[in-house]
Amino acid sequence: MALDTAQVCIIHTCLWSTVMSSPSTVDSTNLKRDLLANYSRAILPRKAPGEPCNVQYGFAINQIIQVDTVEMALQLLIWSRMNWTDPRIDWNPDDYGGVDVVAFKQHEIYLPDIHFYEALDMQELAKEYMSVLAFPGGRMRWHNPRILRTTCEMNVRN
């Protein structure tokens, strides 16, 4: 496998230490408690009923793992990047000791459910280690590694 557990833990530790090296843990804990007090991850985040939840999605190919010319399939290690706004996750940093970013575990908040139409298989890696970052104004950012196996039309000649 392209990323082993140790590599993912190192990446996560670097991201986490960047997030947690700022204002006090007490302020961060209070902020997180307040934001989640009446929060339901099952409810689509929108500013008004009927409005869509717009998600910016992108990915970076980290590695081509396999090219299967017989089945016309491609297996890739990708870093998936999603950004969206959740108006329920909003705060004034001045009210929380200057905290301007908070990390959530994936099971705590709404996550966009995005799938590749041509995907044969999609496997999330290190799911339990990858946090979702929230910023004032409800801006959300979630980056995570995945193994993507997809169809890929090929013109192979001898």
Side-chain angles (χ1 to χ4, degrees):
M1 185 167 287
L3 276 181
D4 63 28
T5 304
Q7 290 171 314
V8 170
C9 287
I10 289 169
I11 292 168
H12 180 261
T13 301
C14 291
L15 290 173
W16 187 253
S17 63
T18 301
V19 169
M20 297 309 290
S21 64
S22 49
S24 87
T25 304
V26 173
D27 289 325
S28 295
T29 302
N30 290 339
L31 171 59
K32 195 169 178 179
R33 180 200 62 224
D34 292 350
L35 290 173
L36 294 177
N38 295 309
Y39 188 89
S40 171
R41 70 182 302 244
I43 298 172
L44 189 66
R46 36 180 138 194
K47 292 180 181 179
E51 278 192 13
C53 174
N54 295 316
V55 178
Q56 294 176 327
Y57 182 85
F59 68 90
I61 298 173
N62 184 273
Q63 180 182 2
I64 298 173
I65 298 171
Q66 180 183 33
V67 177
D68 186 333
T69 57
V70 175
E71 292 189 25
M72 292 196 177
L74 184 62
Q75 188 173 21
L76 306 167
L77 170 63
I78 65 171
W79 273 90
S80 179
R81 298 181 298 237
M82 293 185 221
N83 297 287
W84 69 98
T85 299
D86 189 334
R88 301 167 298 172
I89 304 291
D90 189 12
W91 73 95
N92 181 343
D94 294 336
D95 295 340
Y96 293 92
V99 175
D100 59 1
V101 62
V102 64
F104 290 97
K105 294 181 178 167
Q106 294 179 31
H107 70 272
E108 294 178 306
I109 59 164
Y110 167 84
L111 291 177
D113 188 18
I114 294 181
H115 299 277
F116 285 86
Y117 182 73
E118 298 289 333
L120 300 172
D121 186 36
M122 177 83 80
Q123 176 187 2
E124 286 187 50
L125 302 175
K127 187 172 184 172
E128 63 277 8
Y129 300 111
M130 304 309 292
S131 299
V132 180
L133 301 180
F135 302 89
R139 292 174 297 116
M140 310 297 289
R141 181 171 59 204
W142 181 36
H143 296 185
N144 66 327
R146 297 175 176 211
I147 300 286
L148 169 65
R149 183 170 163 75
T150 184
T151 59
C152 181
E153 190 173 319
M154 300 175 204
N155 185 1
V156 180
R157 301 178 194 175
N158 290 335

